[in-house]
Amino acid sequence: MGYLDNTSITVDAILTKKGREILAKGADEFKITQFALADDEIDYSLWNPAHSLGSNFYGIAIDNMPLIEAIPDETQTMKYKLVTLRKSTTRIPVITVPNSTITLVAGGDAVDVTPNTSNFEGGNSTLGYTAILSNSDVAFLEVGTAVKSVLMQGATVPTFVGDDESAQSVSAVGFSFRVVAKNQPIQSKTATLTIIGNETGGRATVTVTVNKQEVATSGGDL
Amino acid sequence: MAKKTKAQIEKEIAEVEAIKNQLQEEKRQADGLPSTQDSAQGAIVREAQKLANQIVLERDALEQKTTTGKIYSRFDIGNDVISNRKEKVTAGLWSNGTGELKSFHTSSAQTSSNAGRYYFDVYNSASTSVGSSVQFAIAYGHKHGSGSLITNEDFPTKAVYTQYKNLLLAPGDNTFTFDNSVDEEHILAINFQRARIKEKLDPGNWELVLSGSLSGGETGGGNITKLIDNSGGKDATINDGQRVYSVVSGTIANGELTTDDDGVTGGYGLVYPDLGIIVLNPGRLKERGITPTGTVTASNTNNQYNMMLFNAISGAAAYNSSYGFQARNEEEITSTFYYVRVKNADYNFSNNPTFSTGSLGALRHPTMIKDPKTYITTVGLYNDRQELLATAKLSKPLIKSFDREALIKVKLDF
């Protein structure tokens, strides 16, 4: 006779920065209606199907690891969300973009970024994608095709800390996005465009570089 | 053709106007606009209903569609969320949650300042040390302003007495009365720092040990006085909407020492747990050699009563290292519980980059094909707009597979 596996767990939650911000607006604004699960901190390469003690020990390295406390920064937690898929799934939905690097030569140059979800038909076709450009000094981020769902209207998406202290990230929700270069008179600048699937999770990143503005000079009469 | 009367013309104009209005109304309806007969409020309500219906429809459609391929699950508000659960939490009152303070320090900078003429702050270590912070303050008040140096007729002790009078006594009552019988024109007040007290002092769970100058030693009932409140044996007196207990001789462990009552000078004091204030009766303390005998009548003289009480507190700790100031704080926490129910078919795959391999999303471990296993480490609580409002971490990873379900109770305190 052994003890039953007890999978009912009580855990304490903390408010995120966004949660505190919304709570400060009033109790009516603060309505938790859904949950998601994540496996931040887990490295599945620790799963060892060749463990000498057999299948009960495949995950021993993960099972026994302690976890760090909750992080109140909503941009740094819940990064890798668990997703519900059919049992027969052999490939998880992947967010892809045509190019992993974009280089824009001059201010005003633009490129369209249209994310796609592979391995899952119709994935992210309702709520679209969230795009976050890490440094608004590098480029403008515009929505190409907007999300029509009223569920996403008015949503404030998480913003990342910029590439440097003064930089601000910008974000947008849509099905496609347009990155428009800003003039870079002093030096070339690079930012990261992170695209997150709003339904399936998963993310793709694109490196955006805008070259330093070249000023044509010509020899003139003195 | 017969000439129309004015009345006929007006009637025809009215008919044409009615037809025109009807056509305009039909056109508005064809355009999906609210009727002109509607009030603006009615139109707003209908628009809101339309929007709400659209939200519900979209949400349901999304729910239907995302039986698979979902990362969010909605709570069943009726069954999964229990809100407004109140719980009393007590803890050690002093810094770092310590239940007993045994080291007492003042700051010469504070006591020699103008504020020092009104109260002394008491620290848990030398005021300049790292980690030192104010634990409580001691103030002396006199109804007529005796016992302190006066600058520009500011009467610090009178200000203190009237301050506590206004705060603690019922309107119209101008004098502190101890043991319901003895009026006192001077008081010593212990005022706990707000950060220490949180919501209130936990009555029945504080004990203050004072040393006095009586001879006979501790066992002879002489130099040591231990004070508690009488909340263990009596209900609180409600005074102007706040609870009041008497300060009595005794210990937390053994309760009130009823033999320690001279029957003349009144009780040792009063404690207001909801305000975090203990008012001591100097008239009773002098019987224990803690404050001087005689009455304080001289004005513009610093009688150092603050320092006397401080010396009595720190002196007890110096006399016996097991003597200190024990106290607990109390606060009421309002919590909401969220039951996160994870069914066996849910959340068995992960977007974690180590879960898959290559750029095509193939599972890293072939043994996980048709038998995937994930680990739950974090629960995120979201609103309808998918904004992460709260997050909870498990103490260790919880394995999830098609053979396992999980119930995680998430507690969010406000």
Side-chain angles (χ1 to χ4, degrees):
Chain A
M1 184 71 74
Y3 290 100
L4 292 171
D5 178 24
N6 182 0
T7 51
S8 173
I9 300 159
T10 301
V11 291
D12 289 325
I14 59 163
L15 293 176
T16 61
K17 287 191 298 180
K18 174 60 71 180
R20 289 200 300 269
E21 179 191 320
I22 290 179
L23 191 60
K25 288 179 185 172
D28 289 346
E29 298 278 326
F30 189 90
K31 280 184 184 157
I32 290 171
T33 56
Q34 52 188 345
F35 70 87
L37 304 171
D39 58 4
D40 297 355
E41 297 180 60
I42 300 297
D43 186 337
Y44 287 92
S45 66
L46 294 174
W47 180 265
N48 180 15
H51 197 287
S52 59
L53 295 176
S55 57
N56 283 346
F57 292 83
Y58 287 177
I60 190 77
I62 302 172
D63 290 331
N64 289 346
M65 68 183 283
L67 299 175
I68 63 167
E69 290 182 305
I71 298 167
D73 185 341
E74 64 272 9
T75 66
Q76 300 303 316
T77 188
M78 300 295 295
K79 286 168 88 169
Y80 305 125
K81 294 186 181 72
L82 302 187
V83 57
T84 299
L85 297 169
R86 289 192 182 85
K87 196 173 185 178
S88 56
T89 302
T90 57
R91 294 178 186 277
I92 63 163
V94 175
I95 311 295
T96 55
V97 286
N99 299 305
S100 60
T101 58
I102 294 170
T103 302
L104 299 170
V105 178
D109 284 1
V111 64
D112 290 330
V113 178
T114 305
N116 182 46
T117 305
S118 54
N119 300 336
F120 193 83
E121 194 178 339
N124 301 306
S125 60
T126 303
L127 302 183
Y129 304 86
T130 295
I132 304 166
L133 184 65
S134 64
N135 187 347
S136 61
D137 292 343
V138 175
F140 297 100
L141 179 64
E142 298 170 355
V143 175
T145 309
V147 169
K148 289 178 183 166
S149 170
V150 288
L151 292 177
M152 294 303 284
Q153 283 175 16
T156 53
V157 294
T159 52
F160 293 163
V161 173
D163 291 343
D164 58 59
E165 281 184 21
S166 61
Q168 294 288 317
S169 62
V170 285
S171 55
V173 174
F175 290 113
S176 69
F177 306 92
R178 169 164 278 223
V179 179
V180 183
K182 290 184 178 177
N183 278 327
Q184 303 300 334
I186 299 169
Q187 60 183 15
S188 298
K189 278 192 173 177
T190 299
T192 304
L193 180 67
T194 304
I195 294 171
I196 302 168
N198 291 333
E199 292 169 42
T200 63
R203 55 180 64 200
T205 56
V206 180
T207 304
V208 178
T209 302
V210 177
N211 289 343
K212 180 186 171 188
Q213 185 180 3
E214 297 296 336
V215 179
T217 56
S218 59
D221 294 334
L222 293 174
Chain B
M1 195 170 127
K3 192 178 177 185
K4 291 178 182 172
T5 64
K6 187 183 174 190
Q8 284 175 320
I9 293 169
E10 283 176 347
K11 188 183 171 192
E12 283 181 16
I13 289 172
E15 284 171 357
V16 169
E17 278 295 318
I19 293 167
K20 186 182 163 191
N21 286 342
Q22 191 181 343
L23 287 171
Q24 278 179 342
E25 189 65 35
E26 284 173 7
K27 183 174 182 299
R28 288 183 69 82
Q29 283 178 12
D31 292 341
L33 296 171
S35 164
T36 51
Q37 306 286 318
D38 281 353
S39 64
Q41 194 179 1
I44 290 167
V45 168
R46 254 194 317 286
E47 280 301 303
Q49 280 172 342
K50 191 174 155 191
L51 194 62
N53 289 340
Q54 195 182 342
I55 290 172
V56 171
L57 278 174
E58 270 196 37
R59 202 178 63 196
D60 292 348
L62 193 66
E63 195 86 4
Q64 194 84 21
K65 175 188 156 191
T66 54
T67 308
T68 61
K70 69 171 181 180
I71 51 176
Y72 299 103
S73 292
R74 296 193 70 76
F75 285 112
D76 174 351
I77 300 298
N79 293 318
D80 297 341
V81 182
I82 300 173
S83 54
N84 279 331
R85 299 305 292 258
K86 296 193 188 320
E87 184 184 4
K88 267 186 192 170
V89 176
T90 59
L93 183 141
W94 311 112
S95 285
N96 303 319
T98 313
E100 185 169 13
L101 190 64
K102 291 183 174 175
S103 179
F104 304 89
H105 300 261
T106 55
S107 159
S108 57
Q110 192 270 329
T111 55
S112 62
S113 69
N114 188 53
R117 297 168 62 227
Y118 293 81
Y119 64 91
F120 283 5
D121 277 334
V122 180
Y123 296 75
N124 54 341
S125 57
S127 61
T128 51
S129 301
V130 175
S132 175
S133 56
V134 175
Q135 306 297 300
F136 61 94
I138 299 171
Y140 173 72
H142 192 283
K143 189 174 182 180
H144 305 295
S146 299
S148 61
L149 293 172
I150 296 166
T151 305
N152 297 327
E153 298 185 11
D154 58 356
F155 296 106
T157 58
K158 186 176 182 179
V160 168
Y161 192 91
T162 53
Q163 178 185 37
Y164 283 96
K165 178 205 78 174
N166 271 353
L167 196 62
L168 306 176
L169 301 183
D173 186 358
N174 295 320
T175 308
F176 280 90
T177 304
F178 297 100
D179 243 5
N180 296 319
S181 58
V182 180
D183 287 345
E184 263 300 345
E185 295 193 332
H186 63 157
I187 57 167
L188 277 159
I190 293 174
N191 196 333
F192 295 98
Q193 183 80 353
R194 171 53 54 197
R196 309 279 89 77
I197 200 80
K198 293 188 177 168
E199 252 178 39
K200 59 188 81 165
L201 176 70
D202 185 10
N205 283 295
W206 66 270
E207 180 181 321
L208 173 62
V209 184
L210 303 174
S211 73
S213 59
L214 294 189
S215 58
E218 184 181 358
T219 51
N223 59 335
I224 292 297
T225 304
K226 297 174 182 174
L227 301 178
I228 58 170
D229 62 50
N230 66 345
S231 63
K234 291 181 182 174
D235 291 334
T237 304
I238 304 300
N239 186 2
D240 200 23
Q242 61 213 4
R243 293 181 299 168
V244 189
Y245 294 103
S246 290
V247 177
V248 295
S249 180
T251 61
I252 294 174
N254 299 319
E256 184 178 351
L257 182 63
T258 51
T259 54
D260 185 9
D261 183 358
D262 68 356
V264 177
T265 56
Y268 279 103
L270 301 166
V271 58
Y272 298 80
D274 302 313
L275 301 173
I277 296 172
I278 298 172
V279 176
L280 295 175
N281 174 5
R284 183 73 182 88
L285 293 181
K286 76 182 177 189
E287 301 298 319
R288 305 293 302 164
I290 294 164
T291 52
T293 53
T295 53
V296 181
T297 54
S299 62
N300 205 18
T301 303
N302 187 356
N303 286 87
Q304 294 279 348
Y305 269 65
N306 289 357
M307 187 52 81
M308 285 175 200
L309 181 56
F310 173 77
N311 287 339
I313 296 170
S314 59
Y319 172 77
N320 185 330
S321 60
S322 66
Y323 290 162
F325 193 169
Q326 296 179 60
R328 295 198 318 197
N329 56 33
E330 181 183 315
E331 64 180 333
E332 193 171 80
I333 304 280
T334 304
S335 308
T336 297
F337 292 95
Y338 298 88
Y339 288 89
V340 173
R341 302 177 202 276
V342 191
K343 294 179 181 171
N344 71 313
D346 292 347
Y347 298 110
N348 293 318
F349 295 85
S350 173
N351 282 297
N352 190 315
T354 65
F355 189 77
S356 56
T357 184
S359 59
L360 301 176
L363 301 187
R364 169 186 284 269
H365 298 290
T367 54
M368 286 197 183
I369 292 174
K370 292 192 176 175
D371 186 20
K373 292 187 171 57
T374 55
Y375 283 90
I376 302 167
T377 64
T378 315
V379 180
L381 304 178
Y382 291 80
N383 62 9
D384 270 341
R385 297 185 297 190
Q386 298 186 1
E387 293 166 320
L388 180 59
L389 304 184
T391 179
K393 289 294 290 281
L394 277 60
S395 59
K396 57 184 289 192
L398 178 66
I399 193 166
K400 180 71 188 66
S401 71
F402 277 96
D403 299 327
R404 289 170 183 260
E405 296 203 339
L407 172 59
I408 304 168
K409 185 178 172 187
V410 180
K411 182 179 175 222
L412 183 58
D413 294 335
F414 292 93

